[in-house]
Amino acid sequence: MPHFSATLDGVKPSPTVALTGLVAALKAQGREIISLGAGEPDFPTPQHICEAGKNAIDSGRTRYTAVDGIAELKEAVAAKFARDNDLAYGPEQIIVGTGGKQVLFNALMATLNPGDEVIIPAPYWVSYPDMVRLAGGTPSIVETRVEDGFRISPPQLDAAITSRTKWLIFNAPSNPTGAGYSPDQLKALTDVLERHPNVWILSDDIYEHIAFPGYTFSTPAQVAPALFDRTLTVNGVSKAYAMTGWRIGYAGGPVDLISAMRTIQSQSTTNPSSVSQWAAVEALNGPQDFLASAVTTFLRRRDLVVAGLNAADGVSCPVPDGAFYVYPSIAGCTGKTTAGGTVIETDEDFCSALLEETGVATVFGAAFGVSPNFRISYAASDELLTKAMDRIQDFCAKLA
Ligand code: PMP
Ligand code: GLU
């Protein structure tokens, strides 16, 4: 065995990614599993986007590209930021990476030194704290309250900022809660940030397009132009266009930061897949009607799942503004024993027993930093969701 790097101290594998592997293994054993674990759209990538990928292969666009992405894709990204977010990024202010995940990782690697703090509102996407640790920084977790709709309040943000704070990671609509911020709510936060000129803002807008009626998406650099020069606006095609496997994410930000991120990428993965980049050009420049139809589908499923969970004994589920997750509390289930004889002490016990006894795969709340809760990704067919709700209600009804 080698001696492993101290960089890995306190870092664990992604629980959401691990669950995908576990579900595959259980299915291979012949078990019938309803997978509501991994967060990815269940639709196929739209045909015109696939065609663009195939054309890239057939026309020999299969070589290394510029590290930060082909010019055509950077132009498409710039046009997207202008069209959707009123943000004017030039080509030097844009980088394309292997998923939003790599873009986030590059940004943290490029900026964090030991002792640097990164404010992460909880519940958070599982990867943020561990990415910060891998990059040598210290996560500073701020727990939001269900009473506040899982939104960080301006006083909470203000109180969390120290002289060591380097970044705020902001993610709305949120994974795992689906919480969004109205432009006014966001402005109240950016007002705080304007008073702290040393804090940078990393806005993860990956769920931008999955926004339900009554909620209007906005992004920090848009509502607070004064923050433009210290904001990295991250986005990608994975969730919006059902392209998780293509691995294309991108960001707009200050030239120096983008250049530092490019250096890291040039020494790690070089460029994102050339074929995927051409598909992403079509995703961003081509017809956008897929987005509205996906929202309609997700809205119907959201309502099905929220109602189904609130009908389960001991479960309480707020209504999300966007994304395709719900994050119900199971406070009414802890301390009880399942039909199979498991005592539920934690949300991990709940999710393990639910998987074992009913075949419904979900992610336990501790992975996202707020308990006792669990996350359901409702990117699954109405039929499967209905079946899953029946099983969860039955599981909860039998708790004693
Ligand atoms: N941010 C959030 C909040 C996510 O849920 C995901 C999904 N894995 C990502 C970023 C990264 O997605 P991708 O790497 O597929 O672009
Ligand atoms: N973002 C998705 C999730 O949270 C995909 C898996 C991952 O990268 O975490 O489930």
Side-chain angles (χ1 to χ4, degrees):
M1 278 295 253
H3 289 289
F4 294 109
S5 158
T7 310
L8 275 173
D9 289 351
V11 175
K12 56 190 182 318
S14 164
T16 48
V17 174
L19 186 69
T20 309
L22 175 62
V23 167
L26 290 171
K27 283 185 176 166
Q29 289 167 17
R31 286 204 51 194
E32 190 235 337
I33 304 293
I34 302 180
S35 179
L36 309 181
E40 60 177 338
D42 55 318
F43 318 118
T45 304
Q47 193 55 35
H48 65 103
I49 299 175
C50 294
E51 289 304 326
K54 290 181 201 165
N55 287 341
I57 295 175
D58 292 340
S59 56
R61 289 169 158 165
T62 52
R63 296 174 181 269
Y64 292 131
T65 72
V67 168
D68 49 358
I70 55 175
E72 290 83 350
L73 181 51
K74 290 174 66 174
E75 274 167 32
V77 168
K80 177 259 174 269
F81 277 132
R83 173 176 77 225
D84 297 338
N85 312 115
D86 307 317
L87 295 175
Y89 289 115
E92 293 303 301
Q93 295 169 295
I94 290 170
I95 186 166
V96 180
T98 302
K101 217 164 184 172
Q102 188 190 20
V103 174
L104 292 164
F105 192 73
N106 287 345
L108 296 169
M109 286 294 284
T111 53
L112 293 182
N113 289 308
D116 286 348
E117 296 171 0
V118 178
I119 297 175
I120 303 174
Y124 46 71
W125 176 41
V126 294
S127 290
Y128 296 143
D130 284 318
M131 280 189 189
V132 167
R133 288 186 196 102
L134 280 170
T138 305
S140 166
I141 308 296
V142 179
E143 189 166 327
T144 64
R145 304 180 332 144
V146 68
E147 296 82 0
D148 297 329
F150 289 125
R151 296 179 191 91
I152 186 172
S153 70
Q156 275 186 312
L157 174 60
D158 202 38
I161 295 172
T162 74
S163 58
R164 310 302 302 264
T165 306
K166 192 147 239 171
W167 290 99
L168 162 70
I169 299 186
F170 181 79
N171 171 226
S174 146
N175 177 1
T177 66
Y181 293 70
S182 70
D184 285 348
Q185 286 166 334
L186 185 52
K187 187 74 178 50
L189 292 178
T190 58
D191 285 350
V192 173
L193 294 163
E194 285 189 28
R195 295 200 298 273
H196 296 279
N198 297 325
V199 179
W200 285 56
I201 300 95
L202 201 165
S203 187
D204 180 349
D205 297 355
I206 198 111
Y207 296 102
E208 165 179 15
H209 290 295
I210 308 168
F212 301 129
Y215 160 62
T216 304
F217 174 85
S218 58
T219 190
Q222 174 185 25
V223 302
L227 298 180
F228 183 78
D229 291 334
R230 50 186 169 106
T231 299
L232 185 70
T233 307
V234 178
N235 211 320
V237 296
S238 285
K239 316 289 174 170
Y241 304 97
M243 292 178 71
T244 46
W246 296 82
R247 311 303 307 125
I248 295 291
Y250 55 84
V255 173
D256 290 352
L257 173 60
I258 296 293
S259 162
M261 290 165 64
R262 193 190 304 123
T263 300
I264 290 181
Q265 192 159 300
S266 80
Q267 295 291 24
S268 52
T269 57
T270 312
N271 58 274
S273 152
S274 59
V275 172
S276 298
Q277 289 188 64
W278 284 102
V281 170
E282 176 61 21
L284 295 177
N285 287 348
Q288 300 293 307
D289 36 311
F290 175 77
L291 300 176
S293 73
V295 170
T296 304
T297 303
F298 283 134
L299 178 61
R300 192 180 64 239
R301 294 174 178 174
R302 178 196 72 172
D303 292 342
L304 187 165
V305 165
V306 169
L309 289 167
N310 281 322
D313 295 339
V315 178
S316 159
C317 184
V319 183
D321 300 309
F324 40 69
Y325 306 107
V326 284
Y327 198 66
S329 162
I330 54 147
C333 300
T334 50
K336 298 190 173 166
T337 304
T338 68
T342 299
V343 180
I344 298 179
E345 273 159 16
T346 64
D347 48 32
E348 191 162 5
D349 297 338
F350 180 91
C351 292
S352 302
L354 188 68
L355 178 58
E356 190 49 44
E357 297 178 25
T358 73
V360 177
T362 61
V363 188
F364 59 98
F368 306 95
V370 171
S371 289
N373 289 70
F374 71 116
R375 187 191 81 175
I376 281 183
S377 164
Y378 52 85
S381 70
D382 295 35
E383 189 197 340
L384 281 179
L385 291 171
T386 304
K387 212 189 245 186
M389 292 308 118
D390 288 346
R391 290 189 193 180
I392 291 173
Q393 286 166 12
D394 184 54
F395 176 83
C396 291
K398 289 183 178 148
L399 292 176

